[in-house]
Amino acid sequence: MVQETRLSVTDFILPLFVMEGQNVRSEVASMPGIYRLSLDLLLEEIQECVDLGIKTFDLFPNLPESKKDKYATESYNPDGLYLQAVRAVKERFPDVMVMTDVAMDPYSSDGHDGVVENGKILNDPTLEVLGKMALAQAQAGANILGPSDMMDGRVGHIRQVLDEAGYHDVAIMSYAAKYASAFYGPFRDALDSAPKFGDKKTYQMNPANSREALIEAQLDYDEGADFLMVKPALAYLDVIKLLNDNFHLPIAAYNVSGEYAMIKSAAKNGWLDGERAMMEVLLSIKRAGANVILTYFTKEAARLL
């Protein structure tokens, strides 16, 4: 009766990895229990999740190097794996919410979130690619777009592109405070999307900065974001609270792959009670102020709840 914070299955978004092929289930070595799935098995997985009450899914593509190029052209190919997957999920499960990832790195031969020239990330040319990608995802049936690239002005550009094409009801969940974190490693394994050179510190945030998160979030708010996200979650609970205290928008937090892997590996070694640690972490993220939690624990937590 007096418990202040409660978790619900509807708080969660489950990230899923789709890959080419038929009847393919490839475990991500650094994320025990998480798989890259071909489209046929992806649909089966979503059916299992829907039966547990899970309503929202964030799709990410794992593409072969042969499909990647400097300008991420595969990202808006209507016949490509990713957009086919979005259409297939919406056709089979019209009532689920499909979130998509708007960023170049899964499709880029450079492995960066932006167009690269002479070793530098070019902000404005990247916006043109992101706009094409966002429109293609909306046309495929996406409900929520997640620009994860951290280019300046991308939320405003994407909102303009969507509105001009009549997609006023497609929401934008901005990765507003995305830090240059060590906790993304397993995710990059899952997508084979690690940068081919350098790092992402020129466009992701410095882990030492919290006031900067308010500036980044304000920009995205002004440009028309519908949700503001903090990523990662566990090392940035203070930033989640900061955004929740200062913005009257739903606040999301991404409980990222490294955070998942830490608990899983500790539990596997018998160092932690995995279920208790999982629920404590998810509760802490919600207690800090997140209305929405993207987490690889979604399915396990849903069973417990």
Side-chain angles (χ1 to χ4, degrees):
M1 184 188 297
V2 296
Q3 182 170 321
E4 296 172 22
T5 308
R6 295 180 191 279
L7 288 168
S8 164
V9 178
T10 54
D11 297 335
F12 303 136
I13 297 177
L14 175 61
L16 290 169
F17 303 117
V18 61
M19 67 185 303
E20 293 183 339
Q22 194 79 11
N23 197 33
V24 179
R25 180 187 298 272
S26 169
E27 188 168 25
V28 182
S30 50
M31 299 174 70
I34 301 299
Y35 298 86
R36 307 174 193 90
L37 301 168
S38 55
L39 183 51
D40 53 332
L41 297 187
L42 180 84
L43 294 172
E44 290 180 15
E45 177 71 8
I46 290 175
Q47 182 64 67
E48 276 187 43
C49 292
V50 167
D51 292 342
L52 289 167
I54 300 161
K55 299 178 186 296
T56 311
F57 303 88
D58 191 5
L59 302 183
F60 294 92
N62 175 282
L63 296 174
E65 287 296 322
S66 61
K67 295 283 175 72
K68 299 179 182 183
D69 63 32
K70 183 180 180 67
Y71 296 104
T73 52
E74 184 67 12
S75 67
Y76 47 89
N77 172 13
D79 300 318
L81 167 72
Y82 192 60
L83 297 178
Q84 279 185 343
V86 174
R87 283 194 297 271
V89 172
K90 287 303 293 185
E91 283 167 14
R92 181 155 164 190
F93 306 100
D95 294 333
V96 309
M97 293 291 103
V98 173
M99 179 173 168
T100 50
D101 182 53
V102 183
M104 286 180 59
D105 54 332
Y107 314 93
S108 166
S109 49
D110 293 303
H112 274 281
D113 291 342
V115 175
V116 179
E117 289 288 355
N118 301 319
K120 289 189 175 181
I121 311 301
L122 303 185
N123 193 97
D124 292 1
T126 301
L127 299 188
E128 296 302 314
V129 179
L130 299 178
K132 291 178 185 177
M133 191 188 311
L135 181 58
Q137 292 173 358
Q139 290 168 336
N143 304 103
I144 304 169
L145 306 187
S148 61
D149 55 285
M150 289 299 284
M151 297 297 122
D152 291 336
R154 87 272 200 222
V155 171
H157 182 74
I158 290 169
R159 185 74 270 163
Q160 182 180 353
V161 168
L162 293 176
D163 287 352
E164 287 175 356
Y167 291 101
H168 305 286
D169 294 337
V170 174
I172 297 175
M173 184 182 291
S174 156
Y175 286 59
K178 182 178 181 181
Y179 285 85
S181 172
F183 289 100
Y184 303 147
F187 177 90
R188 291 174 185 165
D189 292 345
L191 293 192
D192 299 319
S193 65
K196 299 297 190 293
F197 68 91
D199 54 41
K200 300 191 177 187
K201 290 179 181 176
T202 61
Y203 47 99
Q204 293 180 355
M205 286 178 56
N206 184 335
N209 294 359
S210 59
R211 282 181 299 191
E212 185 186 356
L214 289 174
I215 298 169
E216 294 285 357
Q218 187 66 54
L219 289 167
D220 291 353
Y221 178 88
D222 292 341
E223 290 173 26
D226 300 286
F227 304 76
L228 300 172
M229 187 203 292
V230 176
K231 181 182 182 185
L234 262 189
Y236 300 90
L237 295 173
D238 59 320
V239 179
I240 296 170
K241 184 176 189 315
L242 194 61
L243 263 57
N244 187 52
D245 287 346
N246 284 278
F247 294 94
H248 297 294
L249 280 182
I251 304 300
Y254 201 140
N255 178 211
V256 299
S257 57
E259 297 168 347
Y260 172 88
M262 284 194 306
I263 290 175
K264 281 292 180 183
S265 55
K268 188 176 179 181
N269 282 295
W271 300 335
L272 283 179
D273 179 325
E275 282 189 357
R276 282 186 61 201
M278 168 184 73
M279 297 307 283
E280 191 174 331
V281 161
L282 295 174
L283 199 61
S284 76
I285 296 167
K286 188 165 184 187
R287 191 185 66 241
N291 312 96
V292 177
I293 303 171
L294 293 91
T295 178
Y296 303 97
F297 288 123
T298 294
K299 204 171 172 186
E300 290 174 77
R303 286 198 183 100
L304 289 178
L305 290 168

